[in-house]
């Protein structure tokens, strides 16, 4: 490597570290213990959201595939976005590695891709910040809505559309406790109006513009879709929340069994 390239690399590394340090400064701390890092889940979620709000995805294969591009220039391909999240997590004391392989898009096309494996509270989870950035449904819902469809998934849920190059390197993790929907209580185990209302009540009370939940199985998901939309029991959910929504949009993420409700006053 030439001296000029070495100097450029050193400068980029310094800027990346400075920007990442600024991001870490806003991360949550343990209650009652200033300067002590919060538990893994809270820190990982904060850094995930930081990345989603500071980076845009570019599909140009010639674009820089480094953490520097994502963290400092605010634009990167999937490799740069994955590396950036790994960089942020490891600086926050969370073991993480980028995973490369192939993914299957919603249109059925197979393409090269990169995502992340990280250890939260002693268990391995999988993340795909690039796909949460590209979530067309979230862009349609609200410009400032952050998707967490691909935050802290089990190996089986990630394998629905992701296949790593070296399958033997990655554990068949079944940990579920620190998944975004599970941890937040946004899940349903049965297809009833009461279950849907219970899953979104705290979001409604917080004034969220998008109310969402994940079904615990494909069977519950199919039954819930039929209940809310085919049988039009969606309005009973709003009535259970004490809402007089004039209308409502909705979105369904089939491969992760997620339903989003978008009330309009």
């Amino acid at each position: 490597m030439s001296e000029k390239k070495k100097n450029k690399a050193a400068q980029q590394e310094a800027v990346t570290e400075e920007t990442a340090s600024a991001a870490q400064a806003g991360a949550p701390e343990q209650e009652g213990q200033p300067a002590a890092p919060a538990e893994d889940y809270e820190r990982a979620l904060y850094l995930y959201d930081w990345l989603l709000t500071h980076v845009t995805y570019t599909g140009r294969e010639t674009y820089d595939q480094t953490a520097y591009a994502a963290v400092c220039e605010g634009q990167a391909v999937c490799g740069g976005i994955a590396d950036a999240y790994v960089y942020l997590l490891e600086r926050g004391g969370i073991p993480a590695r980028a995973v490369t392989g192939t993914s299957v898009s919603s249109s059925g096309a197979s393409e090269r891709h990169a995502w992340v494996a990280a250890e939260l509270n002693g268990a391995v989870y999988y993340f795909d910040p690039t796909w949460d950035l590209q979530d067309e449904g979230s862009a349609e819902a609200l410009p400032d809505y952050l998707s967490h469809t691909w935050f802290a998934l089990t190996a089986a849920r990630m394998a629905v559309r992701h296949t790593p190059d070296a399958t033997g390197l990655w554990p068949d993790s079944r940990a579920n406790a620190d998944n975004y929907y599970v941890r937040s209580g946004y899940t349903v185990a049965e297809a009833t109006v009461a279950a849907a209302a219970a899953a979104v009540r705290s979001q409604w009370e917080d004034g969220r513009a998008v109310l969402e939940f994940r079904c615990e199985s494909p069977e519950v998901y199919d039954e819930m879709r039929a209940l809310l939309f085919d049988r039009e029991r969606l309005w009973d959910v709003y009535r259970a929340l004490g809402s007089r929504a004039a209308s409502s949009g909705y979105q369904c993420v089939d491969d992760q069994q997620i339903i989003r409700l978008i009330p309009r006053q």
Side-chain angles (χ1 to χ4, degrees), residues 108-167:
S110 180
E111 56 192 5
R112 297 295 300 167
H113 193 47
W115 56 99
V116 174
E119 186 176 311
L120 305 183
N121 300 311
V124 174
Y125 293 85
Y126 295 93
F127 308 76
D128 193 340
T130 299
W131 275 18
D132 272 330
L133 275 171
Q134 289 182 285
D135 190 330
E136 295 176 359
S138 61
E140 292 172 6
L142 280 178
D144 57 354
Y145 167 75
L146 296 182
S147 173
H148 298 93
T149 301
W150 302 95
F151 181 90
L153 269 60
T154 62
R157 280 191 174 269
M158 185 62 77
V160 171
R161 290 171 61 185
H162 297 67
T163 303
D165 290 331
T167 55

Side-chain angles (χ1 to χ4, degrees), residues 10 17 44 62 82 85 97 126 133-135 142 177 180 201 208 232 234 238 259:
E17 183 174 352
T62 57
Y85 191 47
R97 288 182 63 186
Y126 295 93
L133 275 171
Q134 289 182 285
D135 190 330
L142 280 178
Y180 173 78
R201 184 173 299 281
R208 302 273 186 92
E232 299 186 353
L234 169 62
Y238 284 125
I259 294 175

